[in-house]
Amino acid sequence: MVKSRSIKKDQKVAVPTMFPIRDTITYHGAKLGTFGLLILNGLAFFFQYSLGEESLYQSFYTFGFIPAHFFADIPGEFYTIFTSMFVHASLGHLLSNLWFLWVFGPAIEGRIGFIRFVILYLLSGIAAAFLQGFSMPVSIVPMVGASGAVSGVLGAYLVLFPKARVLTVIPPLIFFFFWTPAPIYLGYWIIIQVAYAFFEIPGVAWWAHIGGFALGLVAVLFMRPKRNYRADPYWECLRDYC
């Protein structure tokens, strides 16, 4: 489950997981933006962990988004909105975010193009940070992770590919795969985020996921190419799964 982490020791959250394997889109086009973001996140992670344990922990406070610090000094802390998108708390945290980006990102990039895709990603990350910040403005716990931005990609996917399906597995039933309609999969995902946010389940920046997802839903409506788009199965999904 894609997550933005609030760095806090000894906190674990059990989240019902429907893990995506791939979608039914058969042609994505170029994936330069998706590849670039995957590489940047990976390089940032390895840089963090090359610093050593003490400096690693400090990096969360240097590059993470801390609502109380941000609202006390917006000009001086504005950079953390962007740097926090590329800082991750652990390898598992990184890989879960990058996997969701890899599954859902290429179709969006192929549809709206490289520049619009990167703008969508960054705007979603900004919206995620602001909504999380407004939900707990005095928090001094750093928020880190790409999932606010990735959540925007999920929101855009719901708008652009409502007929697609997602090959899904539910751990630990790793040999039980099924095709889930994208609206059901993504609807389930956002309902989980909203429920956990309202119940104030700790350890994950749930409002960041909601903010990114909402931004992606809306922003992609203004980013569609002016040209007509092929809606046949070559682009949209395999004929057997439409």
Side-chain angles (χ1 to χ4, degrees), residues 6 9 39 49 51 58 62 74-75 83 102 131 146 167 176 202 242:
S6 292
K9 289 186 176 180
I39 291 170
Y49 277 77
L51 300 175
Q58 183 58 42
T62 301
I74 293 177
T83 56
W102 174 247
L131 187 57
L167 183 61
F176 181 63
C242 288

Side-chain angles (χ1 to χ4, degrees), residues 22-76:
R22 61 153 297 159
D23 62 359
T24 49
I25 309 299
T26 56
Y27 178 74
H28 295 134
K31 308 181 188 71
L32 296 178
T34 304
F35 275 129
L37 291 167
L38 291 171
I39 291 170
L40 283 175
N41 277 282
L43 290 176
F45 177 80
F46 286 113
F47 171 73
Q48 282 179 259
Y49 277 77
S50 71
L51 300 175
E53 184 175 352
E54 184 175 342
S55 296
L56 167 65
Y57 192 71
Q58 183 58 42
S59 72
F60 299 140
Y61 288 86
T62 301
F63 301 112
F65 177 79
I66 304 174
H69 294 180
F70 178 82
F71 291 120
D73 180 18
I74 293 177

Side-chain angles (χ1 to χ4, degrees), residues 1-3 14-20 100 168-171 185 188 192:
M1 181 66 68
V2 59
K3 301 175 185 176
V15 183
T17 302
M18 291 173 59
F19 197 76
F100 272 73
T168 308
V169 63
I170 301 180
Y185 181 89
Y188 162 83
I192 290 295

Side-chain angles (χ1 to χ4, degrees), residues 182-193:
I184 293 178
Y185 181 89
L186 296 172
Y188 162 83
W189 184 87
I190 192 61
I191 287 171
I192 290 295
Q193 314 310 305

Side-chain angles (χ1 to χ4, degrees), residues 44-180:
F45 177 80
F46 286 113
F47 171 73
Q48 282 179 259
Y49 277 77
S50 71
L51 300 175
E53 184 175 352
E54 184 175 342
S55 296
L56 167 65
Y57 192 71
Q58 183 58 42
S59 72
F60 299 140
Y61 288 86
T62 301
F63 301 112
F65 177 79
I66 304 174
H69 294 180
F70 178 82
F71 291 120
D73 180 18
I74 293 177
E77 294 288 323
F78 193 79
Y79 75 94
T80 62
I81 289 180
F82 297 96
T83 56
S84 63
M85 299 183 206
F86 297 94
V87 176
H88 289 83
S90 67
L91 181 60
H93 185 207
L94 171 74
L95 292 179
S96 65
N97 283 333
L98 296 194
W99 183 258
F100 272 73
L101 178 60
W102 174 247
V103 171
F104 295 101
I108 301 301
E109 183 179 358
R111 177 74 183 265
I112 66 177
F114 167 78
I115 294 177
R116 291 185 177 113
F117 176 73
V118 173
I119 292 174
L120 174 75
Y121 183 92
L122 294 175
L123 288 179
S124 298
I126 293 171
F130 271 105
L131 187 57
Q132 183 65 28
F134 285 130
S135 73
M136 43 194 325
V138 297
S139 173
I140 59 171
V141 179
M143 184 191 82
V144 299
S147 62
V150 176
S151 296
V153 174
L154 304 188
Y157 194 99
L158 179 59
V159 172
L160 295 183
F161 300 101
K163 293 183 179 180
R165 299 200 178 200
V166 180
L167 183 61
T168 308
V169 63
I170 301 180
L173 305 177
I174 60 174
F175 299 108
F176 181 63
F177 300 91
F178 54 97
W179 289 99
T180 307

